[in-house]
PDB file of all heavy atoms in Angstrom:
ATOM      1  N   ASP A  62       8.504   5.192 -45.220  1.00 96.00           N
ATOM      2  CA  ASP A  62       8.700   4.103 -46.176  1.00 96.00           C
ATOM      3  C   ASP A  62       9.524   2.919 -45.458  1.00 96.00           C
ATOM      4  O   ASP A  62       9.884   2.006 -46.136  1.00 96.00           O
ATOM      5  CB  ASP A  62       9.252   4.479 -47.543  1.00 96.00           C
ATOM      6  CG  ASP A  62      10.623   5.006 -47.365  1.00 96.00           C
ATOM      7  OD1 ASP A  62      11.111   5.267 -46.150  1.00 96.00           O
ATOM      8  OD2 ASP A  62      11.400   5.226 -48.376  1.00 96.00           O
ATOM      9  N   GLU A  63       9.815   3.000 -44.159  1.00 97.00           N
ATOM     10  CA  GLU A  63      10.605   2.091 -43.589  1.00 97.00           C
ATOM     11  C   GLU A  63       9.892   1.258 -42.427  1.00 97.00           C
ATOM     12  O   GLU A  63       9.135   1.880 -41.525  1.00 97.00           O
ATOM     13  CB  GLU A  63      11.737   2.871 -42.879  1.00 97.00           C
ATOM     14  CG  GLU A  63      12.617   1.860 -42.201  1.00 97.00           C
ATOM     15  CD  GLU A  63      13.838   2.693 -41.400  1.00 97.00           C
ATOM     16  OE1 GLU A  63      14.209   3.853 -41.966  1.00 97.00           O
ATOM     17  OE2 GLU A  63      14.383   2.167 -40.451  1.00 97.00           O
ATOM     18  N   MET A  64       9.955   0.051 -42.456  1.00 98.00           N
ATOM     19  CA  MET A  64       9.532  -0.892 -41.408  1.00 98.00           C
ATOM     20  C   MET A  64      10.644  -1.291 -40.573  1.00 98.00           C
ATOM     21  O   MET A  64      11.621  -2.052 -40.942  1.00 98.00           O
ATOM     22  CB  MET A  64       8.978  -2.220 -42.072  1.00 98.00           C
ATOM     23  CG  MET A  64       8.646  -3.244 -41.030  1.00 98.00           C
ATOM     24  SD  MET A  64       8.800  -4.880 -41.798  1.00 98.00           S
ATOM     25  CE  MET A  64       7.936  -5.880 -40.739  1.00 98.00           C
ATOM     26  N   HIS A  65      10.666  -0.689 -39.268  1.00 98.00           N
ATOM     27  CA  HIS A  65      11.828  -1.063 -38.515  1.00 98.00           C
ATOM     28  C   HIS A  65      11.414  -2.153 -37.478  1.00 98.00           C
ATOM     29  O   HIS A  65      10.444  -1.909 -36.639  1.00 98.00           O
ATOM     30  CB  HIS A  65      12.409   0.306 -37.681  1.00 98.00           C
ATOM     31  CG  HIS A  65      13.565  -0.087 -36.861  1.00 98.00           C
ATOM     32  ND1 HIS A  65      14.757  -0.030 -37.407  1.00 98.00           N
ATOM     33  CD2 HIS A  65      13.665  -0.477 -35.604  1.00 98.00           C
ATOM     34  CE1 HIS A  65      15.705  -0.346 -36.396  1.00 98.00           C
ATOM     35  NE2 HIS A  65      15.092  -0.674 -35.406  1.00 98.00           N
ATOM     36  N   ILE A  66      11.962  -3.242 -37.512  1.00 98.00           N
ATOM     37  CA  ILE A  66      11.512  -4.375 -36.646  1.00 98.00           C
ATOM     38  C   ILE A  66      11.976  -4.042 -35.182  1.00 98.00           C
ATOM     39  O   ILE A  66      13.267  -3.944 -35.049  1.00 98.00           O
ATOM     40  CB  ILE A  66      12.067  -5.707 -37.112  1.00 98.00           C
ATOM     41  CG1 ILE A  66      11.437  -5.939 -38.526  1.00 98.00           C
ATOM     42  CG2 ILE A  66      11.650  -6.818 -36.182  1.00 98.00           C
ATOM     43  CD1 ILE A  66      11.694  -7.293 -39.130  1.00 98.00           C
ATOM     44  N   SER A  67      11.083  -3.863 -34.376  1.00 98.00           N
ATOM     45  CA  SER A  67      11.483  -3.515 -32.918  1.00 98.00           C
ATOM     46  C   SER A  67      11.592  -4.877 -31.997  1.00 98.00           C
ATOM     47  O   SER A  67      12.345  -4.693 -30.960  1.00 98.00           O
ATOM     48  CB  SER A  67      10.286  -2.638 -32.367  1.00 98.00           C
ATOM     49  OG  SER A  67       9.112  -3.231 -32.252  1.00 98.00           O
ATOM     50  N   THR A  68      10.845  -5.858 -32.203  1.00 98.00           N
ATOM     51  CA  THR A  68      11.044  -7.053 -31.553  1.00 98.00           C
ATOM     52  C   THR A  68      10.438  -8.234 -32.123  1.00 98.00           C
ATOM     53  O   THR A  68       9.573  -8.082 -33.049  1.00 98.00           O
ATOM     54  CB  THR A  68      10.257  -6.827 -30.087  1.00 98.00           C
ATOM     55  OG1 THR A  68      10.539  -7.953 -29.276  1.00 98.00           O
ATOM     56  CG2 THR A  68       8.773  -6.696 -30.233  1.00 98.00           C
ATOM     57  N   LEU A  69      11.001  -9.380 -31.800  1.00 98.00           N
ATOM     58  CA  LEU A  69      10.457 -10.670 -32.525  1.00 98.00           C
ATOM     59  C   LEU A  69      10.954 -11.796 -31.500  1.00 98.00           C
ATOM     60  O   LEU A  69      12.109 -11.944 -31.089  1.00 98.00           O
ATOM     61  CB  LEU A  69      11.027 -10.873 -33.869  1.00 98.00           C
ATOM     62  CG  LEU A  69      10.871 -12.309 -34.395  1.00 98.00           C
ATOM     63  CD1 LEU A  69       9.470 -12.630 -34.728  1.00 98.00           C
ATOM     64  CD2 LEU A  69      11.714 -12.474 -35.701  1.00 98.00           C
ATOM     65  N   ALA A  70       9.961 -12.580 -31.046  1.00 98.00           N
ATOM     66  CA  ALA A  70      10.272 -13.741 -30.201  1.00 98.00           C
ATOM     67  C   ALA A  70       9.313 -14.915 -30.321  1.00 98.00           C
ATOM     68  O   ALA A  70       8.140 -14.536 -30.546  1.00 98.00           O
ATOM     69  CB  ALA A  70      10.412 -13.304 -28.791  1.00 98.00           C
ATOM     70  N   VAL A  71       9.720 -16.131 -30.020  1.00 98.00           N
ATOM     71  CA  VAL A  71       8.890 -17.303 -30.075  1.00 98.00           C
ATOM     72  C   VAL A  71       9.102 -17.962 -28.762  1.00 98.00           C
ATOM     73  O   VAL A  71      10.170 -18.089 -28.322  1.00 98.00           O
ATOM     74  CB  VAL A  71       9.296 -18.098 -31.371  1.00 98.00           C
ATOM     75  CG1 VAL A  71       8.607 -19.409 -31.369  1.00 98.00           C
ATOM     76  CG2 VAL A  71       8.945 -17.326 -32.606  1.00 98.00           C
ATOM     77  N   LEU A  72       8.064 -18.563 -28.297  1.00 98.00           N
ATOM     78  CA  LEU A  72       8.149 -19.363 -27.093  1.00 98.00           C
ATOM     79  C   LEU A  72       9.141 -20.517 -27.214  1.00 98.00           C
ATOM     80  O   LEU A  72       9.160 -21.157 -28.267  1.00 98.00           O
ATOM     81  CB  LEU A  72       6.782 -20.023 -26.917  1.00 98.00           C
ATOM     82  CG  LEU A  72       6.371 -20.744 -25.498  1.00 98.00           C
ATOM     83  CD1 LEU A  72       6.300 -19.597 -24.466  1.00 98.00           C
ATOM     84  CD2 LEU A  72       4.997 -21.430 -25.648  1.00 98.00           C
ATOM     85  N   PRO A  73      10.198 -20.539 -26.302  1.00 98.00           N
ATOM     86  CA  PRO A  73      11.229 -21.588 -26.457  1.00 98.00           C
ATOM     87  C   PRO A  73      10.791 -22.916 -26.978  1.00 98.00           C
ATOM     88  O   PRO A  73      11.370 -23.519 -27.855  1.00 98.00           O
ATOM     89  CB  PRO A  73      11.980 -21.551 -25.114  1.00 98.00           C
ATOM     90  CG  PRO A  73      11.617 -20.166 -24.606  1.00 98.00           C
ATOM     91  CD  PRO A  73      10.233 -19.827 -25.086  1.00 98.00           C
ATOM     92  N   GLU A  74       9.854 -23.535 -26.328  1.00 97.00           N
ATOM     93  CA  GLU A  74       9.425 -24.932 -26.636  1.00 97.00           C
ATOM     94  C   GLU A  74       8.760 -25.012 -28.027  1.00 97.00           C
ATOM     95  O   GLU A  74       8.562 -26.043 -28.495  1.00 97.00           O
ATOM     96  CB  GLU A  74       8.589 -25.606 -25.606  1.00 97.00           C
ATOM     97  CG  GLU A  74       7.202 -24.780 -25.311  1.00 97.00           C
ATOM     98  CD  GLU A  74       7.445 -23.808 -24.086  1.00 97.00           C
ATOM     99  OE1 GLU A  74       8.531 -23.255 -23.965  1.00 97.00           O
ATOM    100  OE2 GLU A  74       6.484 -23.840 -23.263  1.00 97.00           O
ATOM    101  N   MET A  75       8.406 -23.804 -28.687  1.00 97.00           N
ATOM    102  CA  MET A  75       7.837 -23.872 -30.004  1.00 97.00           C
ATOM    103  C   MET A  75       8.660 -23.419 -31.047  1.00 97.00           C
ATOM    104  O   MET A  75       8.334 -23.144 -32.222  1.00 97.00           O
ATOM    105  CB  MET A  75       6.553 -22.954 -29.947  1.00 97.00           C
ATOM    106  CG  MET A  75       5.482 -23.445 -28.935  1.00 97.00           C
ATOM    107  SD  MET A  75       4.967 -25.275 -29.266  1.00 97.00           S
ATOM    108  CE  MET A  75       4.007 -24.967 -30.679  1.00 97.00           C
ATOM    109  N   ARG A  76      10.060 -23.243 -30.786  1.00 98.00           N
ATOM    110  CA  ARG A  76      10.897 -22.843 -31.855  1.00 98.00           C
ATOM    111  C   ARG A  76      11.277 -23.939 -32.759  1.00 98.00           C
ATOM    112  O   ARG A  76      11.073 -25.017 -32.403  1.00 98.00           O
ATOM    113  CB  ARG A  76      12.123 -22.287 -31.173  1.00 98.00           C
ATOM    114  CG  ARG A  76      11.908 -20.968 -30.384  1.00 98.00           C
ATOM    115  CD  ARG A  76      13.172 -20.476 -29.677  1.00 98.00           C
ATOM    116  NE  ARG A  76      12.722 -19.248 -28.736  1.00 98.00           N
ATOM    117  CZ  ARG A  76      13.491 -18.648 -27.911  1.00 98.00           C
ATOM    118  NH1 ARG A  76      14.648 -19.211 -27.588  1.00 98.00           N
ATOM    119  NH2 ARG A  76      13.017 -17.824 -27.268  1.00 98.00           N
ATOM    120  N   GLY A  77      11.817 -23.489 -33.975  1.00 98.00           N
ATOM    121  CA  GLY A  77      12.181 -24.458 -35.046  1.00 98.00           C
ATOM    122  C   GLY A  77      10.975 -25.049 -35.756  1.00 98.00           C
ATOM    123  O   GLY A  77      11.159 -26.166 -36.411  1.00 98.00           O
ATOM    124  N   ARG A  78       9.849 -24.442 -35.755  1.00 98.00           N
ATOM    125  CA  ARG A  78       8.605 -24.806 -36.348  1.00 98.00           C
ATOM    126  C   ARG A  78       8.234 -23.895 -37.378  1.00 98.00           C
ATOM    127  O   ARG A  78       7.023 -24.005 -38.001  1.00 98.00           O
ATOM    128  CB  ARG A  78       7.429 -25.162 -35.481  1.00 98.00           C
ATOM    129  CG  ARG A  78       7.861 -26.158 -34.347  1.00 98.00           C
ATOM    130  CD  ARG A  78       6.837 -26.273 -33.367  1.00 98.00           C
ATOM    131  NE  ARG A  78       7.180 -27.019 -32.223  1.00 98.00           N
ATOM    132  CZ  ARG A  78       6.294 -27.869 -31.763  1.00 98.00           C
ATOM    133  NH1 ARG A  78       5.176 -28.053 -32.231  1.00 98.00           N
ATOM    134  NH2 ARG A  78       6.781 -28.615 -30.644  1.00 98.00           N
ATOM    135  N   GLY A  79       8.914 -22.782 -37.733  1.00 97.00           N
ATOM    136  CA  GLY A  79       8.491 -21.932 -38.767  1.00 97.00           C
ATOM    137  C   GLY A  79       7.693 -20.815 -38.206  1.00 97.00           C
ATOM    138  O   GLY A  79       7.102 -20.079 -39.045  1.00 97.00           O
ATOM    139  N   ILE A  80       7.415 -20.664 -36.866  1.00 98.00           N
ATOM    140  CA  ILE A  80       6.691 -19.657 -36.348  1.00 98.00           C
ATOM    141  C   ILE A  80       7.184 -18.183 -36.641  1.00 98.00           C
ATOM    142  O   ILE A  80       6.417 -17.271 -37.014  1.00 98.00           O
ATOM    143  CB  ILE A  80       6.277 -19.775 -34.982  1.00 98.00           C
ATOM    144  CG1 ILE A  80       5.466 -21.204 -34.721  1.00 98.00           C
ATOM    145  CG2 ILE A  80       5.613 -18.628 -34.328  1.00 98.00           C
ATOM    146  CD1 ILE A  80       5.428 -21.549 -33.338  1.00 98.00           C
ATOM    147  N   SER A  81       8.470 -18.047 -36.468  1.00 98.00           N
ATOM    148  CA  SER A  81       9.096 -16.633 -36.804  1.00 98.00           C
ATOM    149  C   SER A  81       8.926 -16.341 -38.147  1.00 98.00           C
ATOM    150  O   SER A  81       8.677 -15.176 -38.574  1.00 98.00           O
ATOM    151  CB  SER A  81      10.481 -16.504 -36.237  1.00 98.00           C
ATOM    152  OG  SER A  81      11.321 -17.234 -37.135  1.00 98.00           O
ATOM    153  N   GLU A  82       9.068 -17.251 -38.988  1.00 97.00           N
ATOM    154  CA  GLU A  82       8.861 -17.036 -40.556  1.00 97.00           C
ATOM    155  C   GLU A  82       7.479 -16.562 -40.804  1.00 97.00           C
ATOM    156  O   GLU A  82       7.213 -15.773 -41.623  1.00 97.00           O
ATOM    157  CB  GLU A  82       9.074 -18.271 -41.355  1.00 97.00           C
ATOM    158  CG  GLU A  82      10.599 -18.685 -41.135  1.00 97.00           C
ATOM    159  CD  GLU A  82      10.996 -19.624 -42.408  1.00 97.00           C
ATOM    160  OE1 GLU A  82      10.475 -19.442 -43.575  1.00 97.00           O
ATOM    161  OE2 GLU A  82      11.659 -20.565 -42.089  1.00 97.00           O
ATOM    162  N   ARG A  83       6.443 -17.254 -40.141  1.00 97.00           N
ATOM    163  CA  ARG A  83       5.032 -16.812 -40.475  1.00 97.00           C
ATOM    164  C   ARG A  83       4.888 -15.377 -39.953  1.00 97.00           C
ATOM    165  O   ARG A  83       4.135 -14.600 -40.657  1.00 97.00           O
ATOM    166  CB  ARG A  83       4.065 -17.788 -39.802  1.00 97.00           C
ATOM    167  CG  ARG A  83       4.175 -19.132 -40.188  1.00 97.00           C
ATOM    168  CD  ARG A  83       3.401 -19.374 -41.542  1.00 97.00           C
ATOM    169  NE  ARG A  83       2.029 -19.008 -41.391  1.00 97.00           N
ATOM    170  CZ  ARG A  83       1.054 -20.004 -41.052  1.00 97.00           C
ATOM    171  NH1 ARG A  83       1.544 -21.231 -40.580  1.00 97.00           N
ATOM    172  NH2 ARG A  83      -0.232 -19.600 -40.961  1.00 97.00           N
ATOM    173  N   LEU A  84       5.454 -15.006 -38.819  1.00 98.00           N
ATOM    174  CA  LEU A  84       5.269 -13.782 -38.155  1.00 98.00           C
ATOM    175  C   LEU A  84       5.993 -12.717 -39.102  1.00 98.00           C
ATOM    176  O   LEU A  84       5.439 -11.596 -39.391  1.00 98.00           O
ATOM    177  CB  LEU A  84       5.882 -13.660 -36.881  1.00 98.00           C
ATOM    178  CG  LEU A  84       4.930 -14.191 -35.753  1.00 98.00           C
ATOM    179  CD1 LEU A  84       5.886 -14.544 -34.435  1.00 98.00           C
ATOM    180  CD2 LEU A  84       3.936 -13.236 -35.317  1.00 98.00           C
ATOM    181  N   LEU A  85       7.157 -12.981 -39.594  1.00 97.00           N
ATOM    182  CA  LEU A  85       8.067 -12.024 -40.390  1.00 97.00           C
ATOM    183  C   LEU A  85       7.246 -11.870 -41.718  1.00 97.00           C
ATOM    184  O   LEU A  85       7.076 -10.725 -42.201  1.00 97.00           O
ATOM    185  CB  LEU A  85       9.422 -12.572 -40.558  1.00 97.00           C
ATOM    186  CG  LEU A  85      10.430 -11.669 -41.197  1.00 97.00           C
ATOM    187  CD1 LEU A  85      10.610 -10.465 -40.447  1.00 97.00           C
ATOM    188  CD2 LEU A  85      11.751 -12.457 -41.266  1.00 97.00           C
ATOM    189  N   GLU A  86       6.694 -12.993 -42.295  1.00 95.00           N
ATOM    190  CA  GLU A  86       6.221 -12.792 -43.598  1.00 95.00           C
ATOM    191  C   GLU A  86       4.883 -11.926 -43.446  1.00 95.00           C
ATOM    192  O   GLU A  86       4.520 -11.053 -44.295  1.00 95.00           O
ATOM    193  CB  GLU A  86       5.712 -14.186 -44.149  1.00 95.00           C
ATOM    194  CG  GLU A  86       6.877 -14.797 -44.680  1.00 95.00           C
ATOM    195  CD  GLU A  86       6.587 -16.264 -45.268  1.00 95.00           C
ATOM    196  OE1 GLU A  86       5.447 -16.625 -45.365  1.00 95.00           O
ATOM    197  OE2 GLU A  86       7.624 -16.949 -45.468  1.00 95.00           O
ATOM    198  N   ALA A  87       4.073 -12.152 -42.417  1.00 95.00           N
ATOM    199  CA  ALA A  87       2.871 -11.354 -42.133  1.00 95.00           C
ATOM    200  C   ALA A  87       3.260  -9.841 -41.955  1.00 95.00           C
ATOM    201  O   ALA A  87       2.614  -9.017 -42.437  1.00 95.00           O
ATOM    202  CB  ALA A  87       2.111 -11.968 -40.878  1.00 95.00           C
ATOM    203  N   GLY A  88       4.287  -9.723 -41.088  1.00 96.00           N
ATOM    204  CA  GLY A  88       4.771  -8.342 -40.870  1.00 96.00           C
ATOM    205  C   GLY A  88       5.200  -7.616 -42.161  1.00 96.00           C
ATOM    206  O   GLY A  88       4.777  -6.405 -42.448  1.00 96.00           O
ATOM    207  N   LEU A  89       6.033  -8.243 -42.957  1.00 95.00           N
ATOM    208  CA  LEU A  89       6.561  -7.685 -44.172  1.00 95.00           C
ATOM    209  C   LEU A  89       5.350  -7.304 -45.177  1.00 95.00           C
ATOM    210  O   LEU A  89       5.268  -6.255 -45.834  1.00 95.00           O
ATOM    211  CB  LEU A  89       7.645  -8.544 -44.830  1.00 95.00           C
ATOM    212  CG  LEU A  89       8.850  -8.684 -44.207  1.00 95.00           C
ATOM    213  CD1 LEU A  89       9.598  -9.898 -44.704  1.00 95.00           C
ATOM    214  CD2 LEU A  89       9.690  -7.517 -44.359  1.00 95.00           C
ATOM    215  N   GLU A  90       4.499  -8.247 -45.275  1.00 93.00           N
ATOM    216  CA  GLU A  90       3.284  -8.112 -46.106  1.00 93.00           C
ATOM    217  C   GLU A  90       2.413  -6.929 -45.757  1.00 93.00           C
ATOM    218  O   GLU A  90       2.070  -6.149 -46.436  1.00 93.00           O
ATOM    219  CB  GLU A  90       2.475  -9.349 -46.073  1.00 93.00           C
ATOM    220  CG  GLU A  90       1.086  -9.361 -46.746  1.00 93.00           C
ATOM    221  CD  GLU A  90       1.045  -9.554 -48.201  1.00 93.00           C
ATOM    222  OE1 GLU A  90       2.261  -9.922 -48.713  1.00 93.00           O
ATOM    223  OE2 GLU A  90       0.131  -9.583 -48.968  1.00 93.00           O
ATOM    224  N   GLN A  91       2.230  -6.959 -44.378  1.00 95.00           N
ATOM    225  CA  GLN A  91       1.372  -5.782 -43.836  1.00 95.00           C
ATOM    226  C   GLN A  91       2.174  -4.381 -43.981  1.00 95.00           C
ATOM    227  O   GLN A  91       1.436  -3.457 -44.481  1.00 95.00           O
ATOM    228  CB  GLN A  91       1.078  -6.037 -42.264  1.00 95.00           C
ATOM    229  CG  GLN A  91       0.179  -5.086 -41.640  1.00 95.00           C
ATOM    230  CD  GLN A  91      -0.123  -5.649 -40.344  1.00 95.00           C
ATOM    231  OE1 GLN A  91      -0.693  -6.610 -39.956  1.00 95.00           O
ATOM    232  NE2 GLN A  91       0.461  -4.827 -39.265  1.00 95.00           N
ATOM    233  N   ALA A  92       3.319  -4.360 -43.729  1.00 95.00           N
ATOM    234  CA  ALA A  92       4.045  -3.129 -43.880  1.00 95.00           C
ATOM    235  C   ALA A  92       4.147  -2.643 -45.231  1.00 95.00           C
ATOM    236  O   ALA A  92       4.032  -1.461 -45.447  1.00 95.00           O
ATOM    237  CB  ALA A  92       5.489  -3.363 -43.242  1.00 95.00           C
TER     238      ALA A  92
END
Side-chain angles (χ1 to χ4, degrees):
D62 62 349
E63 180 183 334
M64 169 209 198
H65 185 89
I66 296 179
S67 57
T68 187
L69 168 65
V71 170
L72 194 66
E74 58 265 38
M75 299 304 288
R76 290 179 189 166
R78 301 171 187 225
I80 293 170
S81 72
E82 292 198 42
R83 298 284 296 276
L84 281 162
L85 192 57
E86 287 178 13
L89 287 166
E90 171 86 3
Q91 186 177 292

